Structures are given as structure tokens and as C-alpha cells.
Amino acid sequence: MKRSERLVAMTNYLLDHPQVLVPLPYFTKEFDAAKSSISEDLDIVNDMFQKQGIGFLETVQGAAGGIKYIPKYSDKNSKAFIDHICNRIEDPDRLLPGGYLYMSDLLGDPETIRNIGKIFATAFAQKGVEYIVTVATKGIPLAYATAQIMNVPVIIVRRDPKVTEGSTVSINYVSGSSKKIQTMVLAKRSLPEGSNVCIIDDFMKAGGTINGMKSLLAEFNANVSGIGVLAEAEDEDEDRVVDDYISLIQIKDVDIKNRKIEVLKGNYFQN
Amino acid sequence: MKRSERLVAMTNYLLDHPQVLVPLPYFTKEFDAAKSSISEDLDIVNDMFQKQGIGFLETVQGAAGGIKYIPKYSDKNSKAFIDHICNRIEDPDRLLPGGYLYMSDLLGDPETIRNIGKIFATAFAQKGVEYIVTVATKGIPLAYATAQIMNVPVIIVRRDPKVTEGSTVSINYVSGSSKKIQTMVLAKRSLPEGSNVCIIDDFMKAGGTINGMKSLLAEFNANVSGIGVLAEAEDEDEDRVVDDYISLIQIKDVDIKNRKIEVLKGNYFQN
């Protein structure tokens, strides 16, 4: 196989297997090429991935070594994308009764979801995350997009137990905004004891839901090493009960009377 | 930029933009290369994509022309993957009380989900699908994985209206297996009138849920041009109310007493 052909095949393989350690013999065998040729190929791929702002190839030395594609999206691309999303959310047509904002179109768009996943995956890349945890329903696409890039499984917390989940652990928690008692359940066999997890959700106000998830995860002795929300908004009546999180977007003000929405980049971009 | 570098960049760009028409001037400008060089590059990419069984590049002629990556996963890869999944589902440890099977681990694994999405996207590639429709909760990851590859948005039907959805259309339907009256809602502004859609779900027994979705979609004058379910199982007490669907897996028999599960490839592979 020619170098040009190998490069197409390798790029595809590495993009499709993020965070997976690929031993060099895999490539030499697959492409019937010398180790030195493969090494040169990988240098070219690594160089281009960095130039394009999509990550880099990590070399792991030794007998059990190989190459690993670490997705890492450039700050420049991330900021440009979030600026664009902020603009889109400021559209007054999104206003719903009660000052809520319609965002299902954004959460249904595959490219938007993929880009959000890239940012979260970059933010939590160094945390040794073993599972992404989210709660039904709107956080699910974001959790999957992040999990695809981090190459870890997704665990979905539900509001109601289902017969297809087997035995579950459930907790009651107080929703921060509405002060209602709510329930969350997680299938017992879905998460091994003591796992290192990251929580992803679409929206956070006072943080009651995220706090509920933390309590539920404590029942599994899980270590929550990261919390990421797409959008956060302030709650006038309630102090936030979660503080160690990152947000990509901040809904600063919703002026129903004048139909004006003010949206800023989230705390992830403000350090 | 050298050919070798261009090939890495182009492969990444095309894989990240499935079903998008890219005008040739985009590449000549981005990579500062002659049209003839870019054409040769694209021939190499097209050739390798086909050899790897991940699709092909379609050339659209004319002033508004360009190149489009059409993902199309090979029958061989699809069958091998589904055989592997069938084996995994036959594990008796999946048995839950009532003869249900635990499958959340499969539906949480990013590579499994991605592969299922590839198969559905290939199956419905020629249908001119504009939206993927699914129902909360378990179908969501499959719907997103399919949508990523088809590059169309996802619409999520819910069991309960939510304040962040705005006005909704709701229907009542009879669940095929339990004969209970249930409700489904879809946000009015989520789906334009007369859209061409494809329904994706994780599981079908008598087909009541899918039928409910069809009724709900009829309220939007949508044309359902495809229905795909990951797994189907027979219902002893009830004839199937949906017939124009594809399934990837068939749960043939669940013998609780002897802890034996029999799983076959679905109807998609039996033509």
C-alpha cells in the first residue's frame, strides 16, 4: 500500500478509536509496511491533527506501547463555536411562557451536539474518567457525544424505575428551584463500585438535580471528578448548591417584557 | 501543503461532514493547491473509503457541484458486528425477573452505539430522510448515532410534556403488550409540517409504541419513510401492529427455567 493510501486509512482508524492504545504492529501488519514507514506516517498524522486543532497522537513507549489519539479541541475553535451558539440562543423567538427558552432544536442538531461533546471531552481529558453519568432526557445526547470522544460508557439516571433495568438504587432529593421532593434511580448493575465518573447535563439553575445525582452516585461510592453543564442560569430565590462545575454558556438575563435575552460564554471560558 | 498532509486533513474533514456537499474551491483554497491535485487526492480518498467499507465520495457536477461523503457500511462488517452482539445478548446473566433482558450496558457503550448507527444510516441512506424521530429514553442514543452519520436532526417524542418545550401536540395510544392507555407528546415547533422522517427505537414487541409514534407524526403530516428497531421480540398474546420495519436483532426465545436465551440476526439481514 502506498503512503498516500495508508494515511487515509490511518486517519480514519485513529479518529474512529479515540483514547485507544494501538500497538505499532497493528499498523505494520494491516498495511504491510515497515516500522520506519509507519513511524513517519504517524508523524505526519500527528502534525496535521495538531495544526487542525483536533488533538494529537501520544506515544507510549515499551513492549506494551503504541500510539493513542488524544482528542483535544483548540480553544480558538471552541470559543468561536460557543459565541455562535450564544448568538443563536439570544433569538427572542425562543422565549416560552414563564421565561423559559426553547432549545430543543440545538439539542437535536448533530453537529452542535458533536461540538459540545468535543469541548467537554477536552475539559475532562486529564481526569481519568471511567463513566459519563447523565439524567434522562435532555442531557443524554450531550453525554453520548462526550462519551464518544472520551471512549467511555454512558450511565443514565432515570426519574422512574423500569422493569428492563433490574434492581435499582433510588434516592429522594429536593429540586433546587421548585422545592419539590423528587426521585432518581440508577440500575444497580450499571455502575461498578468506586468508579471515577463525570456528570454531564444540559441545564443547571440552583443545581438540585446535579446535587441529587451526586447523592445517588455516593451510594455507588463513585468519585465525581467533573461536572459539565451546557447552560447555567441564575436562580433569584435560591443559592446554588453545586460549585465545582464547568458551564459553556451563561443565561444572564431573560427580559420577557422587552423580549430580550442576554447570553454569555460560561465559566469554562472565563479563567 | 504536501499531498500527504492534505490527505490527512481532507479525510478528517470529510468524515466530520457526512452527507454535506463540499464545493471543490473549498479544498483548493483551504490547502492552496491546484484543482487537478485536489481531484487526485479525492480519488485516493474515495478509493480507500471503499476499500475500508465505510462509504464513498459522490461527485456532483456543475456550477453548484462538489463532493459529498456518503457513509455506507459494508454488509460484511455489519453482519460480523451483529453476530457479536447476538452472542453477547445470549449471556444468561442478562435475565431479569419476568423474562426481560438487561441491555443497558450495550446501549451505553459508545462503539456499539456508533456501529448500530452506521447500520441504520446505511439502511435508510436512499430515503431522503430529513429528521430522525425517537421516543424517550432508551432509543435516544441510537437515534443520535444514526443522525450523526445521516447528518439530520433528532426529534424526541416524550411521555410527558415539559415546560421547556412550548406548546405540544399529544395523542393517546394503546400499548400493544400491556393494553394500557398511554400518552405521547411532541413539541409543536420541533417538526415542520410534511417532513420526511425515519423512526428509530431500541425495542419492539407488539409495536404499540411505534404505532403511537406513527399516529403522533400523522398530526404533523409527516411521511414515515423508514422504521428501524435494534431488537424485536415476539409477543405470544398479540399480533404485531407494525409490519414495515427493519430489525437488527431478533430475540427468538427466552427460557427462564433453563436460563437459555436464543438470539438471531434481525430481518434486515435476512433478505
Side-chain angles (χ1 to χ4, degrees), chain B residues 118-169:
Chain B
K118 287 173 180 176
I119 300 176
F120 281 138
T122 300
F124 299 124
Q126 311 299 326
K127 302 267 190 181
V129 172
E130 295 167 299
Y131 293 88
I132 305 276
V133 181
T134 191
V135 62
T137 306
K138 292 206 176 176
I140 299 177
L142 302 178
Y144 268 93
T146 309
Q148 287 287 353
I149 297 163
M150 298 183 83
N151 197 32
V152 297
V154 175
I155 308 290
I156 299 175
V157 173
R158 302 179 62 104
R159 307 283 184 177
D160 52 326
K162 254 208 125 176
V163 67
T164 49
E165 299 273 346
S167 59
T168 55
V169 176

Side-chain angles (χ1 to χ4, degrees), chain B residues 158 166-171 184-188 215-216 219-220:
Chain B
R158 302 179 62 104
S167 59
T168 55
V169 176
S170 85
I171 58 142
M184 273 184 188
V185 302
L186 184 53
K188 233 174 163 177
S215 307
L216 182 54
E219 296 292 324
F220 290 79

Side-chain angles (χ1 to χ4, degrees), chain B residues 8-146:
Chain B
V8 174
M10 270 176 158
T11 300
N12 171 38
Y13 187 86
L14 290 165
L15 289 174
D16 207 32
H17 295 83
Q19 303 280 2
V20 175
L21 184 70
V22 187
L24 281 196
Y26 171 82
F27 290 122
T28 53
K29 220 170 137 187
E30 183 77 13
F31 303 132
D32 194 21
K35 213 178 146 188
S36 58
S37 305
I38 296 290
S39 286
E40 285 170 35
D41 295 345
L42 290 168
D43 283 343
I44 297 170
V45 173
N46 184 25
D47 195 46
M48 286 309 294
F49 278 17
Q50 292 188 44
K51 275 195 191 142
Q52 295 199 290
I54 62 166
F56 59 94
L57 301 187
E58 189 180 87
T59 307
V60 179
Q61 304 288 353
I67 206 97
K68 204 192 251 187
Y69 165 44
I70 314 285
K72 188 171 177 296
Y73 291 88
S74 71
D75 207 43
K76 194 183 137 208
N77 290 352
S78 302
K79 276 186 177 156
F81 166 73
I82 291 296
D83 275 333
H84 172 67
I85 295 292
C86 287
N87 271 331
R88 286 186 64 186
I89 297 179
E90 284 182 339
D91 178 355
D93 280 349
R94 297 192 174 276
L95 267 176
L96 294 173
Y100 291 95
L101 299 180
Y102 184 79
M103 284 173 49
S104 299
D105 57 331
L106 295 173
L107 294 175
D109 175 57
E111 192 171 354
T112 302
I113 291 292
R114 197 159 60 228
N115 284 334
I116 294 168
K118 287 173 180 176
I119 300 176
F120 281 138
T122 300
F124 299 124
Q126 311 299 326
K127 302 267 190 181
V129 172
E130 295 167 299
Y131 293 88
I132 305 276
V133 181
T134 191
V135 62
T137 306
K138 292 206 176 176
I140 299 177
L142 302 178
Y144 268 93
T146 309

Side-chain angles (χ1 to χ4, degrees), chain A residues 4 7 9 12 16 52 93 100 102 107-108 110 114 118 137-138 140-141 144 148 152-154 164-165 189-190, chain B residues 4 7 9 12 16 52 93 102 107-108 110 114 118 137-138 140-141 144 148 152-154 163-165 189-190:
Chain A
S4 55
L7 285 169
N12 172 39
D16 207 32
Q52 294 198 290
D93 281 349
Y100 292 95
Y102 183 79
L107 293 175
R114 200 161 54 229
K118 288 172 181 177
T137 305
K138 293 205 175 176
I140 299 177
Y144 268 94
Q148 288 287 352
V152 296
V154 175
T164 49
E165 297 275 348
R189 64 161 104 178
S190 64
Chain B
S4 55
L7 284 169
N12 171 38
D16 207 32
Q52 295 199 290
D93 280 349
Y102 184 79
L107 294 175
R114 197 159 60 228
K118 287 173 180 176
T137 306
K138 292 206 176 176
I140 299 177
Y144 268 93
Q148 287 287 353
V152 297
V154 175
V163 67
T164 49
E165 299 273 346
R189 65 160 103 176
S190 63

